[in-house]
Amino acid sequence: MEDSQMSAQQYQDSAAEVGEDAATSVSPSFVPPALTEEERLELQEELVKVEDEIQTLSQVLAAKEQRLADIKRKLGVTPLNEFKQNISRTWQEVTTSNAYRRTSETLSQAGLKATAAFSNVGSAITKKFEDVRNAQTFKTLEEKMGTLKTKMSPSGSSGAAPVDQDGDEVDADGPASEALLSQPEAPLPSQEMLMN
């Protein structure tokens, strides 16, 4: 008996499902105390009318959707074409938006500033290398390296005999080579000297 009371109570509490006629689902045994019989009948009539309107609108919508599909088919509009058009339209909307324009301008300015900064850094590095190359220490080192290269070159490969600092020819195996090898090396410029 308890089960039958529970199911009856659940039936009274349940709402009308989609497609279920709400007018017939309202049980006549449950009448709110504030409504008169006349008001209840009016509400039931209105409920039936609204349900009929909803059903009519659903049928009209289905017919319109069918007509739309027929027109698209006759025009040759495929789902892929629609997708492409939607993407193009969306992209057009994005590129004309204020946010996109501001972002684009900001990135463009940032790119120009970065280019200018890299150019300035490159110019500074080039100038520093020129300063180092023009420094007396570097010139002295360069001269010694050139002299050493000239003195160390075999006479057969360059066609000329090695010469000493005064420009006199010397024997590559003679005392001048030994003198060059025995000369104390000048200190190389330190990194600190090169950067100043």
Side-chain angles (χ1 to χ4, degrees):
M1 175 135 175
E2 241 178 68
D3 289 337
S4 63
Q5 286 177 348
M6 293 281 280
S7 64
Q9 188 177 15
Q10 286 175 346
Y11 176 75
Q12 289 176 352
D13 293 339
S14 67
E17 294 292 323
V18 175
E20 187 178 325
D21 189 4
T24 59
S25 67
V26 175
S27 66
S29 62
F30 178 70
V31 178
L35 291 177
T36 64
E37 186 64 28
E38 186 179 311
E39 291 173 330
R40 188 181 68 75
L41 287 175
E42 279 181 31
L43 288 175
Q44 282 184 334
E45 286 176 10
E46 186 179 349
L47 182 64
V48 169
K49 285 180 185 177
V50 170
E51 286 179 338
D52 286 342
E53 289 175 3
I54 290 172
Q55 186 174 4
T56 302
L57 291 172
S58 295
Q59 291 170 349
V60 169
L61 179 62
K64 294 284 184 180
E65 287 175 341
Q66 180 61 41
R67 177 74 178 136
L68 176 70
D70 290 342
I71 292 171
K72 284 182 178 181
R73 186 175 31 81
K74 287 178 183 177
L75 289 174
V77 176
T78 64
L80 180 60
N81 289 344
E82 280 186 274
F83 180 71
K84 287 178 183 177
Q85 288 173 352
N86 287 342
I87 294 294
S88 295
R89 189 176 315 116
T90 303
W91 180 248
Q92 180 69 24
E93 290 170 3
V94 166
T95 56
T96 58
S97 71
N98 287 334
Y100 178 83
R101 280 189 293 215
R102 279 184 266 155
T103 303
S104 179
E105 289 169 4
T106 302
L107 290 176
S108 177
Q109 290 174 359
L112 292 173
K113 288 179 181 179
T115 301
F118 286 131
S119 177
N120 289 342
V121 168
S123 297
I125 290 173
T126 301
K127 185 177 181 328
K128 198 55 131 172
F129 277 134
E130 287 175 4
D131 291 346
V132 167
R133 185 172 177 126
N134 293 333
Q136 187 60 38
T137 307
F138 185 80
K139 287 185 176 186
T140 304
L141 177 67
E142 190 176 37
E143 288 172 6
K144 288 193 178 200
M145 292 301 284
T147 304
L148 181 63
K149 179 182 175 192
T150 306
K151 289 182 179 180
M152 297 299 286
S153 306
S155 58
S157 65
S158 66
V163 293
D164 62 13
Q165 288 180 342
D166 300 326
D168 298 330
E169 277 191 34
V170 293
D171 182 16
D173 295 326
S177 295
E178 289 176 19
L180 180 64
L181 293 175
S182 65
Q183 283 182 349
E185 294 184 13
L188 294 176
S190 66
Q191 184 177 8
E192 205 173 271
M193 290 172 64
L194 290 174
M195 297 310 268
N196 291 330

